mmCIF file of all heavy atoms in Angstrom:
data_model
loop_
_atom_site.group_PDB
_atom_site.id
_atom_site.type_symbol
_atom_site.label_atom_id
_atom_site.label_comp_id
_atom_site.label_asym_id
_atom_site.label_seq_id
_atom_site.Cartn_x
_atom_site.Cartn_y
_atom_site.Cartn_z
ATOM 1 N N ALA A 182 104.000 91.672 97.030
ATOM 2 C CA ALA A 182 103.453 90.362 96.655
ATOM 3 C C ALA A 182 101.983 90.293 97.026
ATOM 4 O O ALA A 182 101.145 89.735 96.289
ATOM 5 C CB ALA A 182 104.239 89.262 97.358
ATOM 6 N N ARG A 183 101.632 90.821 98.181
ATOM 7 C CA ARG A 183 100.254 90.761 98.652
ATOM 8 C C ARG A 183 99.319 91.563 97.740
ATOM 9 O O ARG A 183 98.279 91.084 97.301
ATOM 10 C CB ARG A 183 100.180 91.302 100.090
ATOM 11 C CG ARG A 183 98.808 91.201 100.687
ATOM 12 C CD ARG A 183 98.480 89.731 100.966
ATOM 13 N NE ARG A 183 97.129 89.586 101.406
ATOM 14 C CZ ARG A 183 96.291 88.697 100.880
ATOM 15 N NH1 ARG A 183 96.674 87.892 99.910
ATOM 16 N NH2 ARG A 183 95.072 88.604 101.337
ATOM 17 N N ILE A 184 99.729 92.795 97.438
ATOM 18 C CA ILE A 184 98.881 93.650 96.604
ATOM 19 C C ILE A 184 98.724 93.010 95.223
ATOM 20 O O ILE A 184 97.640 92.937 94.652
ATOM 21 C CB ILE A 184 99.493 95.072 96.483
ATOM 22 C CG1 ILE A 184 99.511 95.774 97.841
ATOM 23 C CG2 ILE A 184 98.721 95.886 95.472
ATOM 24 C CD1 ILE A 184 100.187 97.124 97.824
ATOM 25 N N ARG A 185 99.853 92.523 94.684
ATOM 26 C CA ARG A 185 99.823 91.905 93.362
ATOM 27 C C ARG A 185 98.865 90.733 93.334
ATOM 28 O O ARG A 185 98.009 90.620 92.453
ATOM 29 C CB ARG A 185 101.234 91.447 92.992
ATOM 30 C CG ARG A 185 101.382 90.810 91.631
ATOM 31 C CD ARG A 185 102.842 90.681 91.206
ATOM 32 N NE ARG A 185 103.378 91.934 90.748
ATOM 33 C CZ ARG A 185 103.272 92.380 89.491
ATOM 34 N NH1 ARG A 185 102.638 91.682 88.571
ATOM 35 N NH2 ARG A 185 103.784 93.543 89.146
ATOM 36 N N SER A 186 98.934 89.883 94.352
ATOM 37 C CA SER A 186 98.067 88.706 94.293
ATOM 38 C C SER A 186 96.611 89.090 94.484
ATOM 39 O O SER A 186 95.717 88.509 93.863
ATOM 40 C CB SER A 186 98.527 87.639 95.302
ATOM 41 O OG SER A 186 97.950 87.859 96.565
ATOM 42 N N GLN A 187 96.336 90.103 95.302
ATOM 43 C CA GLN A 187 94.932 90.517 95.481
ATOM 44 C C GLN A 187 94.368 91.124 94.189
ATOM 45 O O GLN A 187 93.253 90.810 93.805
ATOM 46 C CB GLN A 187 94.814 91.553 96.614
ATOM 47 C CG GLN A 187 94.977 90.919 97.994
ATOM 48 C CD GLN A 187 94.966 91.966 99.093
ATOM 49 O OE1 GLN A 187 95.468 93.075 98.933
ATOM 50 N NE2 GLN A 187 94.390 91.629 100.214
ATOM 51 N N VAL A 188 95.153 91.969 93.529
ATOM 52 C CA VAL A 188 94.659 92.579 92.294
ATOM 53 C C VAL A 188 94.489 91.521 91.218
ATOM 54 O O VAL A 188 93.451 91.433 90.561
ATOM 55 C CB VAL A 188 95.602 93.693 91.814
ATOM 56 C CG1 VAL A 188 95.166 94.221 90.427
ATOM 57 C CG2 VAL A 188 95.674 94.826 92.807
ATOM 58 N N GLU A 189 95.497 90.646 91.084
ATOM 59 C CA GLU A 189 95.394 89.627 90.027
ATOM 60 C C GLU A 189 94.222 88.700 90.263
ATOM 61 O O GLU A 189 93.468 88.393 89.319
ATOM 62 C CB GLU A 189 96.692 88.807 89.969
ATOM 63 C CG GLU A 189 97.816 89.564 89.295
ATOM 64 C CD GLU A 189 99.138 88.806 89.277
ATOM 65 O OE1 GLU A 189 99.227 87.739 89.930
ATOM 66 O OE2 GLU A 189 100.056 89.289 88.610
ATOM 67 N N SER A 190 94.061 88.247 91.506
ATOM 68 C CA SER A 190 92.993 87.254 91.700
ATOM 69 C C SER A 190 91.617 87.889 91.587
ATOM 70 O O SER A 190 90.687 87.269 91.105
ATOM 71 C CB SER A 190 93.151 86.552 93.041
ATOM 72 O OG SER A 190 92.904 87.458 94.074
ATOM 73 N N ALA A 191 91.471 89.172 91.941
ATOM 74 C CA ALA A 191 90.133 89.776 91.847
ATOM 75 C C ALA A 191 89.798 90.201 90.424
ATOM 76 O O ALA A 191 88.616 90.217 90.044
ATOM 77 C CB ALA A 191 90.045 90.992 92.772
ATOM 78 N N LEU A 192 90.782 90.559 89.631
ATOM 79 C CA LEU A 192 90.501 91.308 88.394
ATOM 80 C C LEU A 192 91.022 90.715 87.102
ATOM 81 O O LEU A 192 90.605 91.187 86.022
ATOM 82 C CB LEU A 192 91.024 92.752 88.526
ATOM 83 C CG LEU A 192 90.536 93.498 89.767
ATOM 84 C CD1 LEU A 192 91.202 94.885 89.794
ATOM 85 C CD2 LEU A 192 89.032 93.655 89.770
ATOM 86 N N SER A 193 91.942 89.738 87.163
ATOM 87 C CA SER A 193 92.621 89.365 85.925
ATOM 88 C C SER A 193 91.668 88.854 84.840
ATOM 89 O O SER A 193 91.993 88.856 83.678
ATOM 90 C CB SER A 193 93.710 88.357 86.194
ATOM 91 O OG SER A 193 93.136 87.248 86.849
ATOM 92 N N PHE A 194 90.443 88.464 85.222
ATOM 93 C CA PHE A 194 89.500 87.931 84.239
ATOM 94 C C PHE A 194 88.826 89.041 83.410
ATOM 95 O O PHE A 194 88.165 88.787 82.410
ATOM 96 C CB PHE A 194 88.399 87.091 84.936
ATOM 97 C CG PHE A 194 87.382 87.948 85.681
ATOM 98 C CD1 PHE A 194 86.129 88.191 85.148
ATOM 99 C CD2 PHE A 194 87.683 88.496 86.944
ATOM 100 C CE1 PHE A 194 85.211 88.965 85.828
ATOM 101 C CE2 PHE A 194 86.756 89.247 87.626
ATOM 102 C CZ PHE A 194 85.518 89.505 87.072
#
Side-chain angles (χ1 to χ4, degrees):
R183 183 70 186 130
I184 295 175
R185 180 167 282 276
S186 87
Q187 286 175 324
V188 174
E189 283 177 352
S190 68
L192 305 178
S193 56
F194 74 102

